[in-house]
Amino acid sequence: MEIRQLKYFVAIIDCGSLSGAAREVFVAQSALSKQVLELEKELGVQLLHRSRNGVSATDPGKVFYEYAQGILKHLQDARVAVLDSAQTLSGSVVVALPQSVASPLALPLLRAVAARYPHISLNLNEELTGNLFEQLLYGRIDLALFTDVGLPADIAFSPLLQEDFYWLSAATDPQPPGTGALTLEQALARPLVWPGLAHGHCTRALVEAALAKQGAFVESVALEVNSVHILKSAVEAGIGPTIMPLNLARREVDEGRLIARRIDCPGLNRRVGLCVSTRMPSTPARQAVADLIRQVVSDMCLQDQWPGSHVLTAGPA
């Protein structure tokens, strides 16, 4: 298997046709077909569906496409690391943030990388949590921020902070909870606006696991929403309360649009940390960004810019 074959195959999938890929990589269409046939022969599977309307990846082809993209990205990272001087960190680093982390961290991190490492190209992806693991394992992203629950064996976790979960409702709530912390019974008394099961890894799954340890559970769900912004809008509109980390609703709480109350329940919190694939080699740029993320998160917690949280210490990612 040769690097050019990986490039050709990725180009074919991206273009959706052999003719388009041939123009993209400046190779004759017959040569591309030959290279793909050799790949299929070597792997022992069919990679492409061929039709009059073009080509598309088979199921094995989709898997190979993900790996090929990751391999080509890391080859480019290696090339940049070798060519650059030891004093100048450069290259591309892709960081994936779930919606429940992107809100507080994205802008401070972009500013910090631009100021500290102007030659590093930082790409931030806001992802539904169900998509993160696969992209991380295939090498399409370098770093992800996630919780430490349900991680695959090939992903290493380095904790950054711990957040408490809060009960939130509309400021116009006709049944206001009063002041101070809520009991677990009070927090679960009404149907919740809740993330869907498939994408609630960082919120719903953790809350329900903590509740189960207390012998409690969410009895009723008013609405399932997979967007943090829409979920908060639904709570503000009075559809129902929700439970989430306070940082996700800080603006709405500060502006008086939502009410936030801490829930008095041991273990109702989450640990957020850096995740990397142990299958993929590190690069100086990735390590520099990982260290900077740790510093930015620590500063935000200490300066109360990430409310409801405190810093955790760990080794390098």
Side-chain angles (χ1 to χ4, degrees):
M1 192 179 301
E2 300 177 6
I3 295 174
R4 63 173 179 170
Q5 291 176 315
L6 304 183
K7 293 180 178 179
Y8 294 166
F9 182 75
V10 168
I12 291 169
I13 299 301
D14 288 344
C15 293
S17 69
L18 287 167
S19 59
R23 291 191 295 271
E24 182 77 18
V25 298
F26 304 104
V27 173
Q29 185 172 330
S30 59
L32 282 185
S33 297
K34 181 180 179 182
Q35 293 297 326
V36 172
L37 289 172
E38 289 182 0
L39 271 177
E40 291 177 325
K41 181 178 179 181
E42 180 174 349
L43 294 170
V45 295
Q46 182 179 342
L47 298 174
L48 297 176
H49 288 302
R50 299 163 177 84
S51 69
R52 293 180 179 179
N53 297 324
V55 296
S56 60
T58 62
D59 287 342
K62 292 175 183 177
V63 173
F64 187 73
Y65 175 74
E66 297 287 350
Y67 274 104
Q69 283 194 312
I71 291 168
L72 292 174
K73 178 187 180 303
H74 282 279
L75 284 171
Q76 178 60 27
D77 289 344
R79 183 178 293 110
V80 171
V82 169
L83 294 178
D84 285 344
S85 66
Q87 289 75 30
T88 302
L89 280 172
S90 63
S92 172
V93 178
V94 183
V95 179
L97 306 175
Q99 292 182 338
S100 62
V101 172
S103 178
L105 182 60
L107 188 56
L109 179 58
L110 285 169
R111 287 172 172 165
V113 172
R116 182 78 63 82
Y117 303 115
H119 298 290
I120 290 179
S121 174
L122 178 65
N123 299 289
L124 286 185
N125 296 346
E126 184 178 89
E127 297 284 352
L128 292 172
T129 53
N131 302 329
L132 284 179
F133 294 151
E134 183 174 306
Q135 295 192 45
L136 192 59
L137 289 171
Y138 285 134
R140 296 187 63 182
I141 59 178
D142 299 294
L143 297 163
L145 269 75
F146 205 72
T147 64
D148 57 348
V149 176
L151 294 177
D154 291 335
I155 291 181
F157 177 85
S158 177
L160 295 175
L161 77 158
Q162 181 170 294
E163 292 183 280
D164 293 329
F165 282 97
Y166 280 67
W167 182 91
L168 293 107
S169 69
T172 56
D173 194 332
Q175 306 174 53
T179 59
L182 300 185
T183 65
L184 198 55
E185 183 179 6
Q186 289 174 315
L188 301 178
R190 292 156 56 187
L192 296 176
V193 179
W194 219 212
L197 286 171
H199 298 289
H201 304 76
C202 286
T203 50
R204 177 174 179 169
L206 298 178
V207 170
E208 292 183 345
L211 295 180
K213 293 180 180 179
Q214 303 296 320
F217 59 93
V218 177
E219 294 187 9
S220 181
V221 175
L223 182 68
E224 289 190 349
V225 183
N226 287 330
S227 163
V228 171
H229 302 295
I230 297 175
L231 191 152
K232 290 188 293 184
S233 296
V235 173
E236 187 176 347
I239 294 176
T242 193
I243 298 174
M244 65 170 59
L246 183 57
N247 84 77
L248 287 178
R250 178 172 186 170
R251 177 179 296 179
E252 290 83 357
V253 171
D254 288 346
E255 293 175 355
R257 294 151 53 194
L258 293 179
I259 298 170
R261 295 289 182 269
R262 188 179 64 82
I263 304 171
D264 188 9
C265 175
L268 190 58
N269 51 52
R270 69 174 187 175
R271 294 202 314 165
V272 177
L274 280 168
C275 297
V276 297
S277 171
T278 57
R279 300 177 184 176
M280 301 295 173
S282 182
T283 65
R286 190 190 83 175
Q287 187 59 56
V289 171
D291 292 341
L292 190 56
I293 289 174
R294 183 169 285 107
Q295 179 182 328
V296 170
V297 168
S298 176
D299 290 345
M300 291 179 69
C301 291
L302 295 174
Q303 297 169 16
D304 197 29
Q305 296 175 2
W306 199 313
S309 67
H310 65 268
V311 179
L312 299 173
T313 59

